[in-house]
Amino acid sequence: MNHNQQSGDAKNDDDSALSDFLASLMDYTPAIPDELVEHYLAKSGFQCPDVRLIRLVAVATQKFVAEVASDALQHCKARQAAVIKDKREKQQKDKHLILTMDDLSKSLLEYGVNVQHQDYFADDPSTGRDPASREE
Amino acid sequence: MSHGDVESTRDTRKSEDQRSLSLGGPKADDFWRAVSKIAVLQICESVGYERFKESALEALTDISIGYLCDLGKNASFHANLAGRTECNLFDVTRALEDLGASHGFSGASEIGNCLVGSGTVREMVQFVDSKEEIPFAQPVPKFPVVRHRKLIPSFEHMNETPPGKHIPSWLPAFPDPHTYIHTPMWNERASDPCADKIEQARQRRKAERALLSLQQRLVCNGSTGTSASMVVDAKKGKMHEAGSNPFLVAPLQPGEKDMSQVVFPAKLSDEVSKGNHVSVLEAFASAIEAMKDGPSNELYGEKTLLPEKRPAVHFNFRTGKKLLGQSIDLSLLKKGEKRTTLFLSDEERDDKKRRAEFILRQTTEYPMELNQS
């Protein structure tokens, strides 16, 4: 009985939290404009007159892209830190953070998307090997 | 490892503007692709990136568009599974769980729990709370542009009855008979070719007069300071020339003129300030004079009037002064040629062509004179 009551309370909390969230979505403007999201959702067969759901999908996509980008940023910063560690006397070549295909492919691999390029030169014994087993 | 500009995902080359022109032209999708590229760029900037590689940005744009489409597909699938056509919150939540399953979210392993408390939604709430808004850089225009076509009105609309009983009245009306029936045309006006020619010549002369006066005015504007002195000198020169060469008739003799105003040597000396006004009269006078005298007189202004009968002409010009901007050039030209194309006779050229040529010469010479002076 208690268990049911507790789960009931939890549900009510979740409900209220969700409804609050949906209401707050109307104030929050996602980075992806509504027209764009509507176009692609219409293309995939998603039909919904409710604007809040459109916003929800936009926020979800924004979250996804932000996560991928931040993972790639971590890789980029790690690489720059490694460079600094090796050559402390010499100046840093690249102070700026650049989104490269390299970092992107590494971060996307965790999400199950393979965008890796084949190596152009096979000048290293480790070329063509699985990146997990490769030493950077 | 190098990545160059090759994308390893789907064929996304068509999204580039330059490449799309060579392969089938720009497509409607390119617009949305460009918009999403901007959005992805802004998101990456908010994360912390400062610069971007073009290929990496394109790849990320493709992936985010794919994610969006996958969400929509999944949500609509779940809605159809439940026997609905319109998606609701739960369909979207299930779709999010499906797509996030590979990465994992809290409560993924639990089955049978209410979707309201799903881990994905909670993560979403956290995301919205933590991140600040990134408004889109530019307003998105309405696309595709809807063009309202003008339809052909129906029989009903035109208040016509269809010509056959088998034709319903809501169909578009037939075109008007004048669009497909050819009727002969008669020229009802009686044309008088002689009168037409005279009228044409008159209008032509009018136009030429106006053009000449404009040029004279322009010349006088350019050389306002010297006009009075020039005129006075010219007058003196004329008298002298007239005395030495009786065939050099100055156009300013009052007896020959129709216009009573044209006693302009005196006028000019009095009204130095009204240079423009005087020059206009002067131009008119000289033009009328030229026309009255017929085709033998080519030159306008006070300097010269060449009779056509004289093969070689010698002019007593003052080389230092510019008499309405024409003297020097013409003297040089005359020395070289006995009968040049500049001085046309009736036998050789048409009246109209001569005038046209003269006007052209005036326009080319005057700016040069103005520059020199």
Side-chain angles (χ1 to χ4, degrees):
Chain A
M1 287 281 274
N2 273 344
H3 175 72
N4 282 340
Q5 278 179 349
Q6 279 171 1
S7 61
D9 289 337
K11 265 192 197 170
N12 289 336
D13 291 337
D14 287 336
D15 279 339
S16 57
L18 197 57
S19 53
D20 289 341
F21 170 63
L22 286 175
S24 71
L25 264 186
M26 290 316 294
D27 296 328
Y28 183 87
T29 314
I32 303 172
D34 283 343
E35 297 91 351
L36 185 68
V37 177
E38 276 173 9
H39 173 259
Y40 280 114
L41 287 180
K43 232 179 164 190
S44 2
F46 182 100
Q47 247 183 313
C48 184
D50 200 354
V51 185
R52 295 176 299 173
L53 279 184
I54 308 284
R55 291 270 167 103
L56 182 65
V57 173
V59 167
T61 313
Q62 183 182 344
K63 178 168 167 288
F64 171 76
V65 175
E67 280 176 0
V68 170
S70 62
D71 284 349
L73 193 70
Q74 301 304 319
H75 283 117
C76 184
K77 283 186 178 163
R79 180 188 310 210
Q80 281 190 346
V83 166
I84 294 168
K85 232 194 320 177
D86 290 342
K87 307 170 186 179
R88 244 171 242 176
E89 309 88 34
K90 293 181 189 175
Q91 258 190 354
Q92 270 176 283
K93 248 204 306 191
D94 238 344
K95 282 173 201 163
H96 302 283
L97 297 159
I98 307 177
L99 174 69
T100 58
M101 207 55 208
D102 238 353
D103 304 325
L104 194 64
S105 58
K106 278 185 209 153
S107 69
L108 280 172
L109 210 57
E110 295 164 24
Y111 286 86
V113 183
N114 185 9
V115 287
Q116 286 169 317
H117 290 293
Q118 295 302 321
D119 296 334
Y120 197 73
F121 290 116
D123 51 0
D124 201 13
S126 69
T127 53
R129 234 196 282 168
D130 189 25
S133 58
R134 215 191 288 192
E135 282 178 10
E136 287 284 10
Chain B
M1 285 192 283
S2 63
H3 54 80
D5 278 331
V6 178
E7 288 99 349
S8 68
T9 49
R10 305 175 298 255
D11 189 20
T12 58
R13 285 143 200 84
K14 294 187 179 77
S15 66
E16 291 262 16
D17 286 345
Q18 307 102 18
R19 287 182 270 211
S20 71
L21 283 172
S22 57
L23 298 162
K27 297 179 177 50
D29 201 34
D30 293 341
F31 171 77
W32 296 114
R33 210 172 266 279
V35 173
S36 41
K37 197 166 161 186
I38 298 171
V40 163
L41 193 86
Q42 284 186 290
I43 296 170
C44 290
E45 267 185 345
S46 77
V47 165
Y49 271 110
E50 293 156 10
R51 293 182 183 181
F52 307 87
K53 286 263 184 203
E54 180 75 25
S55 54
L57 190 63
E58 290 270 333
L60 193 55
T61 311
D62 284 341
I63 287 159
S64 50
I65 290 172
Y67 184 84
L68 191 55
C69 291
D70 272 350
L71 262 182
K73 254 192 277 183
N74 249 310
S76 73
F77 164 76
H78 283 293
N80 293 339
L81 198 59
R84 287 177 276 112
T85 53
E86 279 191 7
C87 307
N88 60 17
L89 176 66
F90 300 112
D91 299 326
V92 175
T93 317
R94 271 194 217 275
L96 282 170
E97 285 191 354
D98 277 351
L99 285 180
S102 56
H103 212 241
F105 55 93
S106 68
S109 55
E110 292 173 22
I111 49 167
N113 61 335
C114 181
L115 278 177
V116 172
S118 163
T120 47
V121 180
R122 254 183 260 138
E123 279 175 17
M124 211 74 59
V125 177
Q126 281 172 0
F127 179 78
V128 169
D129 288 335
S130 61
K131 285 275 186 172
E132 53 180 69
E133 277 184 44
I134 312 164
F136 195 67
Q138 282 160 25
V140 181
K142 194 148 182 348
F143 189 85
V145 178
V146 176
R147 258 196 211 136
H148 297 283
R149 285 182 306 146
K150 218 172 62 167
L151 297 171
I152 301 172
S154 62
F155 282 111
E156 275 172 357
H157 200 78
M158 303 272 285
N159 295 324
E160 288 175 357
T161 52
K165 270 192 238 172
H166 61 283
I167 304 172
S169 61
W170 46 263
L171 283 178
F174 282 139
D176 294 335
H178 74 265
T179 57
Y180 56 84
I181 293 175
H182 174 73
T183 50
M185 267 180 24
W186 294 282
N187 191 3
E188 302 199 350
R189 275 182 302 161
S191 61
D192 184 11
C194 189
D196 283 344
K197 262 196 193 161
I198 293 168
E199 181 64 29
Q200 263 184 354
R202 193 182 64 85
Q203 283 175 358
R204 225 179 293 136
R205 275 197 293 273
K206 208 167 148 187
E208 283 164 11
R209 222 179 301 153
L211 191 57
L212 279 164
S213 69
L214 174 68
Q215 281 156 13
Q216 299 285 357
R217 222 178 305 142
L218 286 172
V219 167
C220 273
N221 282 340
S223 56
T224 42
T226 56
S227 62
S229 59
M230 274 164 26
V231 164
V232 170
D233 287 332
K235 181 187 125 195
K236 284 183 193 159
K238 283 258 159 39
M239 291 297 112
H240 172 69
E241 283 164 13
S244 62
N245 196 342
F247 284 99
L248 292 175
V249 180
L252 311 172
Q253 291 181 14
E256 291 177 348
K257 290 281 184 284
D258 288 344
M259 294 167 71
S260 58
Q261 304 149 310
V262 188
V263 188
F264 46 84
K267 257 198 177 176
L268 275 169
S269 59
D270 292 338
E271 302 167 2
V272 175
S273 57
K274 291 189 191 173
N276 292 345
H277 184 58
V278 169
S279 72
V280 167
L281 288 175
E282 188 178 37
F284 263 97
S286 52
I288 290 170
E289 166 66 24
M291 268 166 266
K292 293 277 189 251
D293 288 342
S296 62
N297 298 318
E298 183 63 33
L299 305 167
Y300 289 55
E302 308 161 84
K303 312 149 294 296
T304 56
L305 275 179
L306 266 198
E308 62 171 336
K309 276 144 198 160
R310 294 186 71 82
V313 179
H314 178 68
F315 289 89
N316 213 358
F317 286 120
R318 280 173 199 72
T319 54
K321 308 248 164 65
K322 303 244 164 74
L323 305 176
L324 289 178
Q326 242 195 1
S327 54
I328 291 176
D329 275 356
L330 286 170
S331 66
L332 288 169
L333 288 164
K334 277 158 224 152
K335 278 173 196 166
E337 301 145 359
K338 286 194 177 182
R339 257 204 184 189
T340 65
T341 52
L342 296 171
F343 309 109
L344 308 166
S345 62
D346 241 352
E347 307 99 59
E348 287 174 12
R349 295 256 182 125
D350 205 14
D351 186 38
K352 175 181 143 191
K353 277 189 201 167
R354 185 176 45 78
R355 284 214 177 83
E357 216 168 311
F358 176 71
I359 289 165
L360 276 168
R361 234 184 345 102
Q362 294 253 341
T363 49
T364 49
E365 280 169 9
Y366 277 144
M368 292 193 302
E369 302 292 333
L370 283 168
N371 286 341
Q372 288 168 16
S373 63

